[in-house]
Structure formats: structure tokens, C-alpha cells
Amino acid sequence: MPVAYPGPMKGVGEDEMGFRHIDPLFVAYTFHVGSYDRLPGAHKVLSDWAETNKYKVTGPPVEVYWSDPMTVPEDKLVTELWFPVEEKKIPGIAN
């Protein structure tokens, strides 16, 4: 799963990090506040939302970690979750 962390990563040298360009994506996204242990539930809610709203998930999810777990209490951790999506094509209906 691709991950993103906005800012310097403490204890990780530049030679240990990899960067790659991601082309623009159409995504369904949400923010999760709380323990990383509860992220699977956020994935499920977002996946269910996409299905209910006629979107097809087209790639792996991306998690963006906005909080430093070394300094932020577990119940205050902020994670942004993206699912690349596209509208489902329905035969016989112009989308």
C-alpha cells in the first residue's frame, strides 16, 4: 500500500527514502482520527461508500499520515485515506 507522510521523517536519511511521481487521480477520500488499529474500519466505510455511490475502486488505497505518532496521542492521530475510483459504467446508460 502506498503511504505518504507530509514532512520530514525523523530518523530516516534521504538515501533511505524513495520518491515517485503519482499522476493525478480521481479519488474517494476521508480523514480518520484515532488509532491506526482502527484504520481497517475506515477502509471498509470508504469502500462501502464507493460501492453504494456507483464508483469502482481502480487501484490500491493510499494512506497519508498527518500526525507524528511519537508526539501525538493515539486518539488524536490524523490519517487521510484515498481510494482511486472511477464511475461504474452501466450498460445502456450514458454516464
Side-chain angles (χ1 to χ4, degrees), residues 14-74:
E14 285 186 28
D15 60 335
E16 298 175 47
M17 292 190 293
F19 296 91
R20 78 180 160 124
H21 173 78
I22 298 176
D23 290 329
L25 298 171
F26 186 64
V27 300
Y29 73 95
T30 190
F31 284 87
H32 168 76
V33 178
S35 169
Y36 295 150
D37 293 340
R38 296 183 54 151
L39 277 170
H43 281 255
K44 171 90 169 91
V45 167
L46 193 54
S47 177
D48 290 349
W49 179 91
E51 180 68 28
T52 298
N53 288 280
K54 310 288 190 274
Y55 289 96
K56 173 182 164 187
V57 176
T58 60
V62 175
E63 293 178 354
V64 181
Y65 300 99
W66 287 99
S67 308
D68 180 350
M70 301 303 282
T71 60
V72 175
E74 186 175 58

